[in-house]
């Protein structure tokens, strides 16, 4: 009886956090497919897509710089919800403003920049909150399931994107709206997370923060496997970005 109750509580805690990244990633992947399609269809110029992707890369970098402070010093549940809501708002506004007949490159650049920055903050926040709401014996299996589901979104997205493109009257405005709805669903799922934020005592001590940062870098460079993994992931992401550019 007690074991059944624990399992039910674990499901209530883990399900929203597990499904939320999948939902938003599915929408983002479909959005990128739609972006490739609309730019090649409207302009026939993949260089524009490359410029937008480059701007998105800078947004990822900015998000990576901001995420440490946000995740460490603020309510992680709120960080998850607000990043999803901001992405939803920008997609919704862009779906009303964008004109398929006259592509606004500036608008596509801004939307991609914002979405990438929010993703760069959202995903690490979802990873860092997991150990606080998932029991330690279950965290490894939870992470494995979450990563599998997250990657499955990238497999499912081309199927959904292809199905959408089969409709003759589909426009990029529809892709924006669909992406926005996935972020709204993700925000709703994140709001269901059972989480009590507790301010760390070291948060207000600058010297403690500096020591912690130094310890992280010291630990990182002592582990050659981690350095190799980071470099490998960078090369993989570079190749993946190149594939997106040439796929249209």
């Amino acid at each position: 009886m007690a074991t059944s109750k624990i399992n039910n509580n674990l499901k209530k805690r883990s399900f929203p956090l597990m499904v939320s990244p999948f939902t938003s990633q599915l929408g983002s992947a479909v959005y990128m497919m739609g972006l490739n399609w609309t730019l090649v269809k409207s302009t026939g110029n993949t260089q524009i897509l490359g410029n937008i992707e480059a701007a998105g890369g800078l947004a990822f970098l900015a998000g990576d710089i901001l995420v440490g402070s946000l995740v460490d010093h603020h309510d992680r549940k709120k960080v998850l919800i607000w990043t999803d809501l901001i992405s939803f708002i920008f997609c919704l506004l862009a779906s009303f403003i964008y004109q398929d007949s006259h592509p606004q490159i500036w608008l596509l650049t801004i939307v991609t920049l914002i979405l990438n920055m929010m993703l760069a903050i959202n995903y690490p926040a979802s990873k860092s909150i997991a150990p606080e709401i998932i029991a330690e014996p279950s965290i490894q299996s939870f992470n494995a399931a979450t990563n599998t589901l997250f990657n499955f979104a990238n497999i499912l997205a081309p199927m959904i994107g292809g199905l959408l493109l089969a409709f003759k009257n589909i426009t990029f405005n529809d892709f924006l709206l669909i992406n926005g709805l996935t972020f709204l669903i993700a925000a709703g799922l994140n709001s269901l997370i059972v989480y009590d934020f507790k301010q760390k005592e070291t948060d207000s001590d600058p010297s403690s923060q500096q020591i912690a940062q130094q310890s992280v870098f010291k630990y990182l460079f002592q582990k050659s496997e981690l350095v190799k993994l980071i470099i490998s992931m960078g090369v993989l992401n570079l190749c993946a970005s190149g594939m997106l550019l040439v796929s249209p």
Side-chain angles (χ1 to χ4, degrees):
M1 186 73 176
T3 304
S4 177
K5 186 176 181 180
I6 292 173
N7 289 335
N8 289 333
N9 289 334
L10 181 61
K11 289 179 181 178
K12 289 180 181 178
R13 287 172 174 266
S14 64
F15 179 79
L17 187 59
M18 183 183 298
V19 179
S20 171
F22 163 79
T23 305
S24 56
Q25 177 60 19
L26 180 62
S28 298
V30 172
Y31 163 81
M32 286 306 303
M33 186 174 181
L35 180 64
N36 292 359
W37 165 74
T38 193
L39 284 177
V40 173
K41 178 185 175 183
S42 303
T43 67
N45 188 351
T46 57
Q47 183 179 351
I48 297 175
L49 180 60
N51 293 338
I52 293 176
E53 283 287 309
L58 293 176
F60 270 124
L61 179 61
D64 288 337
I65 294 173
L66 293 172
V67 68
S69 177
L70 286 172
V71 168
D72 287 343
H73 306 146
H74 297 83
D75 189 326
R76 294 168 184 179
K77 178 178 176 179
K78 291 181 178 179
V79 171
L80 290 173
I81 294 172
W82 276 107
T83 50
D84 283 329
L85 287 178
I86 291 172
S87 298
F88 162 71
I89 291 170
F90 272 87
C91 285
L92 183 64
L93 292 175
S95 69
F96 289 111
I97 298 172
Y98 182 77
Q99 297 178 4
D100 237 10
S101 56
H102 299 87
Q104 298 116 304
I105 304 303
W106 63 269
L107 179 61
L108 297 178
T109 304
I110 291 175
V111 172
T112 303
L113 190 149
I114 295 298
L115 294 183
N116 285 1
M117 182 179 293
M118 294 301 104
L119 177 61
I121 296 172
N122 184 284
Y123 191 67
S126 68
K127 286 295 185 183
S128 62
I129 198 176
E132 299 186 46
I133 63 175
I134 307 297
E136 187 174 349
S138 304
I139 191 67
Q140 188 172 0
S141 58
F142 169 80
N143 284 333
T146 302
N147 291 338
T148 301
L149 196 60
F150 183 85
N151 290 324
F152 180 67
N154 295 322
I155 299 173
L156 191 60
M159 299 171 60
I160 296 176
L163 182 63
L164 291 173
L165 291 175
F167 295 100
K168 294 182 179 179
N169 295 327
I170 193 79
T171 66
F172 188 62
N173 304 70
D174 300 313
F175 279 91
L176 284 165
L177 188 58
I178 291 171
N179 192 23
L181 290 176
T182 62
F183 283 114
L184 184 61
I185 294 171
L189 288 168
N190 286 327
S191 68
L192 300 176
I193 295 174
V194 180
Y195 172 69
D196 294 321
F197 172 69
K198 295 180 180 179
Q199 188 80 13
K200 296 180 180 179
E201 294 181 0
T202 56
D203 285 354
S204 58
D205 186 354
S207 61
S208 298
Q209 295 177 29
Q210 186 176 4
I211 293 172
Q213 291 174 357
Q214 291 175 351
S215 299
V216 169
F217 284 108
K218 184 178 180 180
Y219 174 81
L220 175 63
F221 288 110
Q222 286 177 344
K223 301 292 182 179
S224 59
E225 293 84 0
L226 287 177
V227 176
K228 292 176 182 178
L229 178 61
I230 292 172
I231 295 174
S232 300
M233 290 301 296
V235 173
L236 179 62
N237 287 331
L238 179 64
C239 295
S241 299
M243 186 188 69
L244 287 175
L245 292 177
V246 300
S247 60

